[in-house]
Amino acid sequence: MGLFFEDLEIGQVFPTPARTITEADVVNFAGVSGDFNPVHTDEEYARGTLFGRRVAHGLLILAMLTGLRLRTGVFEGTLIAWLEIRNYRFLKPVFPGDTIRGETEIVEKRETSRPDRGVVVQRVRVFNQRGELVQEGEFVTLVRRRDG
């Protein structure tokens, strides 16, 4: 069981495991999302872009962050729902072969009118293998209360 609303403290930081972005990840995401933009799928085309090569979909990296966060167990069985993604920024490209990791910092908590849940705002960050910040934003979530 993950952490309940009462267990979370402002300033707590939870790092995720790392994951390398593979060619299969990019191809599969293109298929699932329908986003076949050539900057993701055509090496020759991508060479002529500001990236100089194919880049992973930004939303693929965001989706992977959610999976990496799940692997920490912090919200296992206690996260009720996402309410909002705020101020999410895609700061640097991520390429096939890059390895990403994330971190979650608790930045705000507030009780709701319902005694079984509270709102938790988390600042999330994604870093590449060089420690460069590639994405960041805030997730606003409903989290179970222990006695709810």
Side-chain angles (χ1 to χ4, degrees):
M1 183 63 75
L3 299 178
F4 290 89
F5 178 82
E6 295 87 350
D7 301 326
L8 298 168
E9 297 179 14
I10 305 298
Q12 280 178 305
V13 176
F14 303 100
T16 74
R19 176 174 174 172
T20 300
I21 310 308
T22 68
E23 172 71 20
D25 294 327
V26 175
V27 170
N28 288 329
F29 190 81
V32 168
S33 68
D35 181 352
F36 291 96
N37 185 313
V39 75
H40 307 302
T41 60
D42 181 333
E43 189 64 42
E44 291 302 314
Y45 172 86
R47 280 193 191 119
T49 69
L50 67 104
F51 303 114
R53 60 184 172 141
R54 286 181 309 115
V55 62
H57 303 73
L59 291 177
L60 168 62
I61 304 309
L62 173 58
M64 286 182 162
L65 172 63
T66 66
L68 291 171
R69 284 169 32 96
L70 181 65
R71 290 175 52 195
T72 69
V74 172
F75 296 104
E76 185 72 34
T78 57
L79 181 72
I80 298 169
W82 282 23
L83 301 176
E84 182 180 359
I85 297 177
R86 291 185 194 159
N87 304 315
Y88 205 83
R89 301 184 318 146
F90 302 88
L91 302 168
K92 289 185 180 257
V94 175
F95 301 101
D98 282 354
T99 298
I100 61 166
R101 64 178 176 82
E103 71 177 27
T104 298
E105 178 184 359
I106 307 302
V107 294
E108 183 183 332
K109 288 175 50 177
R110 62 181 179 272
E111 295 181 358
T112 67
S113 60
R114 307 260 322 251
D116 63 336
R117 64 192 69 174
V119 174
V120 177
V121 180
Q122 305 151 55
R123 179 174 298 119
V124 295
R125 296 181 186 96
V126 180
F127 301 93
N128 64 20
Q129 68 275 11
R130 293 177 296 281
E132 299 168 328
L133 182 63
V134 297
Q135 293 184 7
E136 70 176 347
E138 291 182 341
F139 293 168
V140 181
T141 58
L142 277 179
V143 176
R144 285 180 52 195
R145 295 189 64 152
R146 186 176 304 284
D147 299 323

